[in-house]
Amino acid sequence: MIRTERDGTVATVWLDNPPYNFLTSDIMTALAELLTALEREDAVRAVVLTSAVEDVFVSHYDVAEILAGAEASPVTLTRRAAAAALHTSRAADHVPGAQAALARAGAGGVADLRRYHEVCRRMRDSDKVFVAALNGRTLGGGCELALSCDIRLMADGPYEIGQPEILVGIIPGGGGTQMLTRVLGAARALELCLEGAPITPARARDIGLVHRLVAPADLLDEARSTAARLARRSPVAVKALKRAIYEGGSESLEKGLHIERTGFLETSSTATAQRAMGKYLEEIREVETSGRDLASFIADRLPRWVEGEVVDF
């Protein structure tokens, strides 16, 4: 259900579960295994996540699996009981065969939910840049998976994106409430989840849910081009930046500033960063020696830095 292709520093991953491209526990297991492989591959600096199914990124998580997991529970869970079930599942990770026993006891859905969150966490924590190329319908778990990517490009067309879970009496379970709040703010996140109505790609761009809209025929090329450019960034800096924003941005200001300070000191101490800063100063001195101003440097030379053509990290 997953296909991969590598081109230089960029890996492209296609989700392939036609006709609706539902996410399933098998797909999340495969994604977890893929992340493990990518973590060992330093040469891959960026990942494009897209779909092999026409006009569909991910319809949503397979509702049949969610229902089966819910029906397998012997009781209706209170909030406290749900928290206890999650705690038990985490503890079972360290006991051989315990997760299989929990699955037989009707708690397999808890492990599946935790696996989903773990995949998304590893994407956010990674020193690689993840670019989502949303080629069509992106709902529920698909929207949450996209939110776990660092950059989101969406095809401009008659497509939908959103969190419709409340329409069947549940709430987003793959991180949607938390990531949407951080991306959109509490008011918009609550409205999107309460209404359950999908929004158009144009509306998603306008409120900041996706970064850019691209013509469908150009989407994959644009995503790969973006990934290739961002793959030229320092992996140490990418990881520190993602931690400062994803983790620090949800903490108190003082704790967030502490995370930023530690990341700044970490990245500035690396040999590659020091070499890059030295090169930058050389170019500034060249501008000053030639009698040109900083505006000319920004217009003529800075674009090469943006494209990653000056310093090899």
Side-chain angles (χ1 to χ4, degrees):
M1 295 180 180
I2 289 180
R3 295 193 288 109
T4 62
E5 176 184 310
R6 179 174 164 188
D7 182 10
T9 56
V10 176
T12 302
V13 179
W14 285 272
L15 303 177
D16 192 6
N17 185 23
Y20 306 116
N21 232 24
F22 290 149
L23 289 180
T24 66
S25 57
D26 287 342
I27 289 178
M28 299 314 296
T29 297
L31 282 175
E33 293 170 353
L34 175 64
L35 287 173
T36 298
L38 289 174
E39 286 161 1
R40 299 181 183 132
E41 186 55 80
D42 292 338
V44 173
R45 299 283 190 86
V47 179
V48 173
L49 183 61
T50 190
S51 164
V53 179
E54 187 176 0
D55 296 329
V56 180
F57 176 66
V58 171
S59 289
H60 47 70
Y61 199 93
D62 189 347
V63 174
E65 280 198 12
I66 299 174
L67 180 59
E71 290 179 334
S73 176
V75 295
T76 298
L77 296 177
T78 64
R79 184 171 60 178
R80 180 175 295 182
L86 288 166
H87 177 76
T88 300
S89 180
R90 283 193 297 270
D93 289 342
H94 308 290
V95 180
Q99 287 293 355
L102 287 175
R104 290 193 296 272
V110 178
D112 292 340
L113 180 61
R114 290 182 52 245
R115 184 184 301 111
Y116 191 108
H117 277 256
E118 180 66 10
V119 165
C120 294
R121 182 197 63 77
R122 290 171 67 185
M123 291 167 63
R124 291 191 295 269
D125 288 353
S126 175
D127 62 358
K128 306 177 195 306
V129 177
F130 283 80
V131 179
L134 310 176
N135 60 304
R137 184 186 312 123
T138 304
L139 299 175
C143 185
E144 290 167 315
L145 190 62
L147 284 164
S148 299
C149 293
D150 308 302
I151 303 293
R152 290 173 292 282
L153 309 183
M154 189 167 190
D156 190 4
Y159 307 123
E160 316 88 20
I161 182 170
Q163 302 284 166
E165 288 87 349
I166 199 166
L167 302 181
V168 292
I170 61 176
I171 71 169
T177 62
Q178 301 307 296
M179 291 305 297
L180 282 173
T181 300
R182 286 157 175 76
V183 170
L184 306 180
R188 288 199 187 279
L190 189 58
E191 179 187 32
L192 196 67
C193 292
L194 277 175
E195 290 283 1
I199 60 176
T200 65
R203 177 63 175 160
R205 177 201 56 201
D206 291 346
I207 66 175
L209 181 53
V210 300
H211 294 89
R212 299 197 299 276
L213 299 188
V214 184
D218 300 329
L219 178 66
L220 188 56
D221 286 344
E222 178 69 16
R224 284 172 159 169
S225 175
T226 299
R229 180 174 64 254
L230 299 181
R232 300 186 183 106
R233 307 298 191 246
S234 159
V236 176
V238 166
K239 187 177 182 67
L241 186 64
K242 289 167 68 168
R243 181 170 182 259
I245 291 173
Y246 288 138
E247 182 179 337
S250 59
E251 297 286 354
S252 68
L253 177 60
E254 187 54 39
K255 186 168 183 180
L257 289 171
H258 174 73
I259 293 173
E260 181 187 280
R261 287 191 296 267
T262 59
F264 176 83
L265 292 173
E266 176 191 13
T267 55
S268 62
S269 70
T270 63
T272 53
Q274 292 171 18
R275 184 174 70 249
M277 287 186 283
K279 177 64 176 176
Y280 178 81
L281 289 175
E282 287 178 14
E283 295 207 348
I284 289 293
R285 293 189 190 104
E286 290 176 12
V287 169
E288 293 173 340
T289 301
S290 67
R292 302 168 69 192
D293 59 14
L294 186 60
S296 64
F297 170 78
I298 293 174
D300 300 336
R301 312 279 280 278
L302 201 56
R304 294 184 58 233
W305 285 79
V306 171
E307 293 299 322
E309 299 172 356
V310 180
V311 178
D312 183 8
F313 287 106

